[in-house]
């Protein structure tokens, strides 16, 4: 598709430079949009191609011929209504795995300019362990990520970096080759379920402090990665790079990969499985059981827990009055959850000590495991490592851990509503979100948000607006994610209205142009710069 964005990106309004422009719509026709007079609208120069998106940014840059006249008397600075700091995620494959080059570089450059014009504060950049340290321990290639940081700086946006110590199937970005090779001979470095299946997109938390990576522990390797990042990006730290998220597990989240084998066509979503069967987790469980005086409890995970695709109440463990409410259930679930919290504490502490003197804000992400929240046992949360039930608040210990490390918490699911969830799995993202945020308020942990669906959900924008207002005021919100759909006419107008609802400029009368200033503003030199690019 051809997308043309035309706007006066450097025009000065009155004496004050407006931080945010008013964004709106008019002349809505078909599938086309443009920016005229600082308003995003739709025009007639848009072509769609099934193969992808061609995004053309035409930034009409204007500068007054002469400097503004310094007026006598006092004038009040322009105000903008305080709103959430809005970031947009860059593509997950912004840097290619095969050759460590920037994918769709020209598209990203154009997209950055469009986001700047909209008043977005910055972008989020996923930085993959499997790309940077791909071939050998301690050999880092930051070149393409540095190039993106330079692009972001040039446009004048901020950068939120996510350090990804996990792999991803979509796009296909595995763990470093040398780590995967170790895993071939030592599969116990990966999470393992009851049937012996290994989850190979991240390392088991049980090996955090074991020298399983050519004589080094994973924590030592993560620390080396963070220190190399800090050194390589020092010119950007605290200025362009405003914040960093520390990867904590599967998909970067602090959780067990309990759902990774759920069938996509399952009508009734299962609760997932406990991931405590690699040899190191079993060894720790055995030690804990012996120390507690119940050695038989350390022989394995719950024998009466369901499989991935079974209803959580088809067998005994999660039923009311069953194993989860017994002494054994409390023993196992406490241990399982505490292992996860200790892992998060270790990595957030590492991040805080490494980046504490750089001026950046540190973040960690936890998931919104909302399936089966409406039941007493909360089986999906228990399998994912959150000991949260009708009898126990499992998120207060997490909030305490984040507070201890002076780290902000990222929560996804800000676009989800209870009304749009399937009735059969008793899901409640709204109540779960409220519970987690209450725990964070109690322990003075700041919360940042994300949406869950890149393709959008029914009522998603309205739900995000609601979650970003009132008692749920957040400091930062990251919208996922830039790409072909993001700039499509089915999506981009709604996103623009969303931005407008968060950042509304409020002009004082003193900020309006005088007749003399209007005359100066009309005498401009302008030129058009066009960038045409291919986005995936």
């Amino acid at each position: 598709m051809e997308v043309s964005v035309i706007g006066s990106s450097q025009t000065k309004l009155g004496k004050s430079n407006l931080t945010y422009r008013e964004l709106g719509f008019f002349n809505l026709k078909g599938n086309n949009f443009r920016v005229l007079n600082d308003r995003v609208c739709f025009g007639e120069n848009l072509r769609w191609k099934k193969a992808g998106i061609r995004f053309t940014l035409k930034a009409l840059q204007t500068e007054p011929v002469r400097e503004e006249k310094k007026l006598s008397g006092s004038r009040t600075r322009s105000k903008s209504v305080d709103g959430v700091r809005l970031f947009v995620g860059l593509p997950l494959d912004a840097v290619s795995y095969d050759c460590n080059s920037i994918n769709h570089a020209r598209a990203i450059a154009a997209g950055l300019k469009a986001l700047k014009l909209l008043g977005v504060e910055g972008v989020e950049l996923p930085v993959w362990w499997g790309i940077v340290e791909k071939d050998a321990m301690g050999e880092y290639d930051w070149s393409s990520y540095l190039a993106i940081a330079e692009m972001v700086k040039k446009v004048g946006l901020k950068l939120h970096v996510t350090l990804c110590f996990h792999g991803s199937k979509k796009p296909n970005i595995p763990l470093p080759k040398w780590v995967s090779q170790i895993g071939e001979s030592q599969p116990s470095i990966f999470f393992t379920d009851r049937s012996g299946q290994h989850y190979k997109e991240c390392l088991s938390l049980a090996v955090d402090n074991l020298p399983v990576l050519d004589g080094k522990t994973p924590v030592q390797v993560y620390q080396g990665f963070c220190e190399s990042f800090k050194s390589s990006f020092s010119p950007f730290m605290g200025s362009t790079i405003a914040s960093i998220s520390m990867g904590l597990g599967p998909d970067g989240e602090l959780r067990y990969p309990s759902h990774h084998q759920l069938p996509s066509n399952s009508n009734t979503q299962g609760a997932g499985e406990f991931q405590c069967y690699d040899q190191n987790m079993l060894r720790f469980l055995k030690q804990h059981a012996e120390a507690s005086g119940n050695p038989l409890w350390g022989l394995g995970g719950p024998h009466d827990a369901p499989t991935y695709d079974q209803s959580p109440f088809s067998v005994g463990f999660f039923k009311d009055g069953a194993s989860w409410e017994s002494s054994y259930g409390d023993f196992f679930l406490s241990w399982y959850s505490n292992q996860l919290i200790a892992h998060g504490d270790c990595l957030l502490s590492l991040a805080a000590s490494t980046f504490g003197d750089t001026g950046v804000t540190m973040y960690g992400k936890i998931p919104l495991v909302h399936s089966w929240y409406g039941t007493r046992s909360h089986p999906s949360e228990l399998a994912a490592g959150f000991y949260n039930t009708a009898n126990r608040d499992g998120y207060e210990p997490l909030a305490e851990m984040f507070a201890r490390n002076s780290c902000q918490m990222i929560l996804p699911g800000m676009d989800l509503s209870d009304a749009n969830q399937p009735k059969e799995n008793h899901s409640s993202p709204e109540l779960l979100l409220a519970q987690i945020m209450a725990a964070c308020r109690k322990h003075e942990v700041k919360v940042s948000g994300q949406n869950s669906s890149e393709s959008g959900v029914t009522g998603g924008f309205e739900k995000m607006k609601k979650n970003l207002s009132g008692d749920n005021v957040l400091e930062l919100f990251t919208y996922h994610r830039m790409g072909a759909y993001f700039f499509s006419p089915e999506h981009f107008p709604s996103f623009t209205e969303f931005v407008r609802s968060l950042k509304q400029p409020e002009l004082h009368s003193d900020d309006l142009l005088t007749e003399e200033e209007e005359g100066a503003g009309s005498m401009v030199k302008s030129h058009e710069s066009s960038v045409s690019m291919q986005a995936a």
Side-chain angles (χ1 to χ4, degrees):
M1 93 179 155
E2 288 283 342
V3 183
S4 294
V5 184
I6 306 172
S8 50
S9 61
Q10 295 181 357
T11 303
K12 294 181 179 179
L13 303 180
K15 187 175 179 62
S16 302
N17 287 321
L18 297 183
T19 305
Y20 303 103
R21 292 173 172 80
E22 181 179 2
L23 303 172
F25 297 96
F26 62 93
N27 296 334
L28 185 62
K29 295 180 181 179
N31 290 335
N32 305 343
F33 83 89
R34 63 187 184 277
V35 178
L36 294 174
N37 299 328
D38 294 326
R39 289 178 177 267
V40 176
C41 53
F42 288 73
E44 302 187 0
N45 296 317
L46 193 62
R47 286 188 296 109
W48 285 95
K49 297 182 179 180
K50 293 183 180 180
I53 171 177
R54 287 191 61 82
F55 185 82
T56 303
L57 180 71
K58 296 181 179 180
L60 179 63
Q61 300 180 347
T62 63
E63 298 177 356
V65 172
R66 59 193 179 92
E67 294 295 322
E68 296 178 17
K69 179 177 178 290
K70 188 172 182 179
L71 302 180
S72 59
S74 63
R75 294 188 57 182
T76 307
R77 293 181 179 179
S78 61
K79 288 185 178 179
S80 62
V81 177
D82 290 338
V84 67
R85 297 169 54 217
L86 180 62
F87 281 59
V88 172
L90 292 173
L92 290 174
D93 63 344
V95 171
S96 69
Y97 173 74
D98 292 336
C99 58
N100 195 357
S101 60
I102 301 176
N103 283 329
H104 16 266
R106 298 170 69 192
I108 289 176
L112 293 176
K113 293 179 182 178
L115 295 178
K116 178 66 175 179
L117 181 64
L118 286 178
V120 171
E121 180 167 331
V123 291
E124 177 261 344
L125 173 64
V127 174
W128 297 90
W129 182 29
I131 292 178
V132 174
E133 198 177 358
K134 178 169 60 177
D135 294 320
M137 184 196 303
E139 294 183 6
Y140 309 103
D141 184 354
W142 302 103
S143 56
S144 293
Y145 289 113
L146 285 166
I148 292 177
E150 189 62 42
M151 291 167 63
V152 173
K153 177 182 178 181
K154 184 176 181 180
V155 173
L157 292 171
K158 295 293 185 181
L159 191 60
H160 177 108
V161 173
T162 300
L163 302 180
C164 302
F165 295 107
H166 63 282
S168 175
K169 291 183 178 179
K170 294 183 179 179
N172 182 26
I173 302 176
L175 295 179
K177 290 180 179 178
W178 61 276
V179 174
S180 297
Q181 289 170 356
I182 293 173
E184 292 176 3
S185 59
Q186 301 180 52
S188 61
I189 67 174
F190 301 120
F191 285 110
T192 308
D193 63 19
R194 186 167 56 185
S195 65
Q197 297 180 89
H198 303 297
Y199 178 78
K200 297 184 178 181
E201 271 71 58
C202 71
L203 300 179
S204 169
L205 58 81
V207 299
D208 277 353
N209 296 297
L210 300 178
V212 295
L213 299 180
D214 291 338
K216 285 193 174 183
T217 70
V219 170
Q220 289 173 325
V221 174
Y222 300 151
Q223 183 171 12
F225 185 93
C226 290
E227 289 174 348
S228 178
F229 174 86
K230 177 182 177 181
S231 175
S232 299
F233 287 81
S234 58
F236 302 96
M237 301 291 275
S239 52
T240 299
I241 298 177
S243 48
I244 297 174
S245 290
M246 187 68 174
L248 301 176
D251 297 325
E253 299 173 334
L254 181 63
R255 62 176 172 87
Y256 292 97
S258 54
H259 276 80
H260 72 97
Q261 290 292 335
L262 281 176
S264 59
N265 60 351
S266 177
N267 292 325
T268 301
Q269 186 181 25
E273 288 192 17
F274 294 110
Q275 305 291 309
C276 60
Y277 293 91
D278 66 76
Q279 69 179 32
N280 296 298
M281 287 289 282
L282 288 174
R283 178 164 53 85
F284 293 157
L285 176 59
K286 182 175 183 293
Q287 292 171 353
H288 184 61
E290 291 173 350
S292 68
N294 296 286
L296 294 180
W297 288 356
L299 300 180
H303 70 279
D304 55 349
T307 59
Y308 291 107
D309 56 353
Q310 286 182 306
S311 167
F313 307 110
S314 61
V315 290
F317 188 82
F318 296 117
K319 291 181 178 179
D320 287 354
S323 299
W324 70 275
E325 291 190 276
S326 68
S327 298
Y328 163 75
D330 181 63
F331 157 83
F332 174 79
L333 294 171
S334 295
W335 170 82
Y336 190 65
S337 175
N338 287 340
Q339 294 293 303
L340 187 68
I341 293 174
H343 169 74
D345 197 17
C346 177
L347 293 193
L348 291 184
S349 176
L350 184 160
S353 62
T354 303
F355 300 110
D357 60 349
T358 62
V360 303
T361 304
M362 293 307 305
Y363 291 79
K365 183 179 179 181
I366 72 168
L368 199 69
V369 189
H370 53 82
S371 295
W372 306 104
Y373 184 85
T375 65
R376 292 187 64 248
S377 58
H378 296 214
S380 291
E381 291 165 88
L382 297 185
F386 303 102
Y387 190 5
N388 187 58
T389 68
N391 306 328
R392 187 180 188 276
D393 189 332
Y395 295 100
E396 283 219 22
L398 279 172
E400 291 175 356
M401 184 266 288
F402 273 77
R404 185 162 57 248
N405 291 288
S406 301
C407 189
Q408 297 194 26
M409 183 183 292
I410 296 175
L411 285 175
M414 295 283 171
D415 53 339
L416 302 180
S417 59
D418 289 359
N420 294 320
Q421 303 305 313
K423 303 293 185 183
E424 58 268 19
N425 66 355
H426 303 277
S427 176
S428 182
E430 295 180 25
L431 291 178
L432 177 55
L433 184 63
Q435 180 186 351
I436 299 173
M437 295 189 75
C440 289
R441 282 194 296 270
K442 179 177 179 180
H443 295 280
E444 299 181 339
V445 174
K446 293 183 179 179
V447 176
S448 295
Q450 293 179 352
N451 57 316
S452 291
S453 174
E454 295 183 22
S455 58
V457 295
T458 303
F461 280 110
E462 289 303 316
K463 193 63 186 176
M464 286 186 283
K465 292 175 190 177
K466 183 177 180 181
N467 280 326
L468 299 178
S469 62
D471 293 336
N472 290 337
V473 174
L474 308 181
E475 184 182 18
L476 182 146
F477 184 84
T478 303
Y479 188 87
H480 285 162
R481 179 172 296 277
M482 187 190 293
Y485 176 76
F486 179 83
F487 287 110
S488 73
E490 291 81 15
H491 173 269
F492 195 70
S494 299
F495 175 76
T496 306
E497 285 286 7
F498 173 63
V499 176
R500 183 186 180 210
S501 71
L502 299 180
K503 301 283 190 180
Q504 286 281 15
E506 177 186 323
L507 296 182
H508 282 190
S509 60
D510 286 341
D511 284 311
L512 300 178
L513 294 174
T514 65
E515 290 183 5
E516 185 176 4
E517 288 173 321
E518 285 180 348
S522 66
M523 299 170 58
V524 297
K525 296 181 295 184
S526 65
H527 67 277
E528 285 193 339
S529 59
S530 299
V531 185
S532 182
M533 62 231 46
Q534 183 73 32

